[in-house]
Amino acid sequence: MKLLLDIGNSRIKWGLLAGNGILQHCGAIPIKEEVLPYFFEDLLLKHGINAVYAANVVGPRYEKIIKDWWAGHTDHTIEFITTPKQYAGLVVSYE
């Protein structure tokens, strides 16, 4: 099962993608540092996550928190997807 994360300014949207490419579960949680360990632990115990892909607009602080927690609890790494500042005429304005 793959965990997909969209880390925003106020919440983390998530989805669990099965091996067949079908989204099994999804939701959102507030982006609060004290909530993240319980959220990740619950996902690991219930769903057997074997890969994590994340997009992050909130900055390096939460990226580090998430990477550190994940590294301390699993053998899997998180792949952070980087959005180009500009592509095909579209300009991203997140600072």
Side-chain angles (χ1 to χ4, degrees):
M1 190 79 66
K2 294 177 183 171
L3 173 60
L4 310 175
L5 300 172
D6 179 0
I7 306 162
N9 291 309
S10 61
R11 62 188 179 148
I12 296 176
K13 295 177 287 293
W14 61 274
L16 294 173
L17 195 65
N20 60 6
I22 296 175
L23 190 64
Q24 299 291 314
H25 304 279
C26 62
I29 63 165
I31 187 160
K32 294 183 179 176
E33 193 171 331
E34 63 274 11
V35 171
L36 293 177
Y38 301 106
F39 170 67
F40 290 136
E41 189 172 317
D42 185 59
L43 287 175
L44 278 174
L45 290 173
K46 290 181 179 174
H47 300 288
I49 307 298
N50 59 20
V52 183
Y53 301 93
N56 174 18
V57 299
V58 77
R61 178 172 173 241
Y62 277 96
E63 185 171 325
K64 181 176 179 358
I65 290 168
I66 292 168
K67 278 183 178 178
D68 289 350
W69 188 93
W70 207 259
H73 292 82
T74 74
D75 294 333
H76 309 299
T77 58
I78 297 177
E79 183 176 338
F80 278 85
I81 312 311
T82 305
T83 303
K85 291 283 187 190
Q86 187 172 2
Y87 182 78
L90 180 67
V91 177
V92 176
S93 63
Y94 281 108
E95 297 293 327

